[in-house]
Amino acid sequence: MKKLIAVILSLALVMALGTTALAQDTLTVAFSQIGQESDWRTANTDDVCKAIQDAGWNLVYDDAQQKQENQVKALRNFITQGVDYIVFTAIVTTGWDEVLQEVKDSEIPLVLIDRFPQTSFADDSWFTAFFGGDFVEEGARAARWIVNYYKSLGRGDEEVNIVRLEGTTTSDPQVGRSKGFDDVIVNYPNFKIVASQTGNFTSAEGQAVMESFLKSVDKIDVLWAENDQMALGAIEAIKAAGLQPGKDIIIVGCDGVKLAFEAIVNGEMNCTVECTPLMGSRVVEVITGLEAGETFPKIVHPVEYVYDANGGIAYTDDGTALTRKAADYIAERLY
Ligand code: GYE
């Protein structure tokens, strides 16, 4: 009898060990995405999901359909399921303390990408790493491009009226890009923002808001759209009003998606400030590193460029970095 019990116990032990070994082999990585509002977002979803699957890990994916409450639910589900890692981009900056405390308590490592959530934690131990665009710098690049473009035409002292299409209100890229733009443009009093309204990062709303700008603002020289999708919608509104986009109104977008490159090459748009959606390889690098017990910098921004028709317009304050010519890079742009 004793022998039989010993055999059963050792069998149970082997089975338990076997299960543990299996669980360690195949990680489960959950990803809470915000929705599908733009080409940028589609490319981001595809890239991150593919990278996780190509790494041989199980993917648990959730699309929050632009609702913060859905993201909160998704994070709680991930905790209940006991996933190994959580990849997260926050639709808006605030309102995360409670659920992120729950993530912290669960000890599931949190990998942040794209949009950074603001929290009131005392230190930064609540997340493992962040990878995403430097939104303040992107906004600043857009403003510097506009000023330098007018200077390059010998028109740097003209009165220039700018309308702005803002991203989703209080989202990290909206807050950062608006701030970066304002910080630069304030130094050039002849460049004025004469109207500014949200277009929620979508083409349809960009078009509708641009239509109303065209009716309410007497003289529009420049459109600064906080993403390319809104710029593309606005181009339709400008054409419908009988004006030539890219000529009658100078158009600067952000993201660097293929359709923006095409619009620049066709002369209907003038500039796009790059923000890469390709974050999958960094996510895999971070998780692989954490599994191996490595440490690395907490916050990493990708290297990005500014693209326009001819290249050559300086966009950093000291003039060292130059814009790239969109036509030279359009073929390699896949999203
Ligand atoms: O610019 C926009 C998207 O968070 C950086 O969200 C991202 C922004 C991107 O929908 O197109």
Side-chain angles (χ1 to χ4, degrees), residues 124-142:
D124 64 6
S125 63
W126 56 276
F127 73 101
T128 60
F130 170 82
F131 183 68
D134 181 341
F135 300 136
V136 175
E137 174 60 19
E138 288 165 4
R141 288 178 178 186

Side-chain angles (χ1 to χ4, degrees), residues 11-270:
L11 260 179
L13 188 68
V14 166
M15 281 168 72
L17 283 176
T19 322
T20 315
L22 193 74
Q24 274 169 0
D25 278 345
T26 313
L27 292 176
T28 296
V29 180
F31 176 24
S32 167
Q33 179 60 287
I34 64 174
Q36 292 301 319
E37 71 283 2
S38 63
D39 289 3
W40 188 100
R41 189 64 54 197
T42 308
N44 180 251
T45 304
D46 292 350
D47 189 64
V48 172
C49 290
K50 185 173 183 304
I52 291 170
Q53 285 168 322
D54 286 354
W57 303 329
N58 297 319
L59 169 70
V60 179
Y61 176 72
D62 186 272
D63 177 336
Q65 315 212 334
Q66 310 298 328
K67 290 204 177 92
Q68 182 173 29
E69 69 209 61
N70 289 347
Q71 281 203 289
V72 171
K73 267 188 220 151
L75 293 173
R76 291 196 168 127
N77 282 337
F78 297 161
I79 297 172
T80 312
Q81 288 174 53
V83 302
D84 297 301
Y85 287 88
I86 294 176
V87 180
F88 175 53
T89 174
I91 180 150
V92 288
T93 44
T94 56
W96 300 105
D97 271 5
E98 196 181 326
V99 72
L100 291 183
Q101 182 65 52
E102 292 168 28
V103 172
K104 191 171 184 256
D105 294 343
S106 77
E107 294 181 4
I108 299 171
L110 181 65
V111 181
L112 300 175
I113 57 168
D114 173 28
R115 302 182 179 184
F116 198 90
Q118 299 302 326
T119 60
S120 51
F121 298 127
D123 59 29
D124 64 6
S125 63
W126 56 276
F127 73 101
T128 60
F130 170 82
F131 183 68
D134 181 341
F135 300 136
V136 175
E137 174 60 19
E138 288 165 4
R141 288 178 178 186
R144 289 188 208 116
W145 185 90
I146 293 166
V147 171
N148 287 324
Y149 174 74
Y150 274 84
K151 280 187 188 163
S152 76
L153 301 175
R155 295 167 51 194
D157 297 325
E158 274 180 23
E159 289 286 316
V160 176
N161 283 356
I162 303 168
V163 295
R164 168 163 60 196
L165 285 170
E166 298 165 22
T168 306
T169 308
T170 77
S171 69
D172 196 15
Q174 180 274 314
V175 175
R177 289 172 187 164
S178 289
K179 177 183 173 2
F181 192 89
D182 290 346
D183 287 352
V184 170
I185 219 72
V186 75
N187 299 311
Y188 304 91
N190 54 314
F191 289 80
K192 285 193 193 73
I193 299 179
V194 292
S196 187
Q197 202 179 308
T198 186
N200 271 315
F201 283 133
T202 69
S203 172
E205 286 187 62
Q207 182 168 352
V209 176
M210 190 67 203
E211 264 167 31
S212 78
F213 283 165
L214 286 161
K215 284 184 196 138
S216 60
V217 182
D218 278 347
K219 173 182 170 276
I220 301 176
D221 302 299
V222 175
L223 163 66
W224 153 231
E226 288 180 345
N227 81 345
D228 288 337
Q229 218 69 41
M230 294 188 291
L232 293 164
I235 286 174
E236 296 310 312
I238 293 167
K239 284 187 194 165
L243 297 169
Q244 278 190 292
K247 296 187 180 68
D248 297 326
I249 297 177
I250 301 301
I251 302 174
V252 178
C254 194
D255 281 353
V257 296
K258 186 149 191 127
L259 288 177
F261 273 53
E262 283 171 4
I264 292 172
V265 171
N266 296 336
E268 294 193 335
M269 196 166 154
N270 305 81

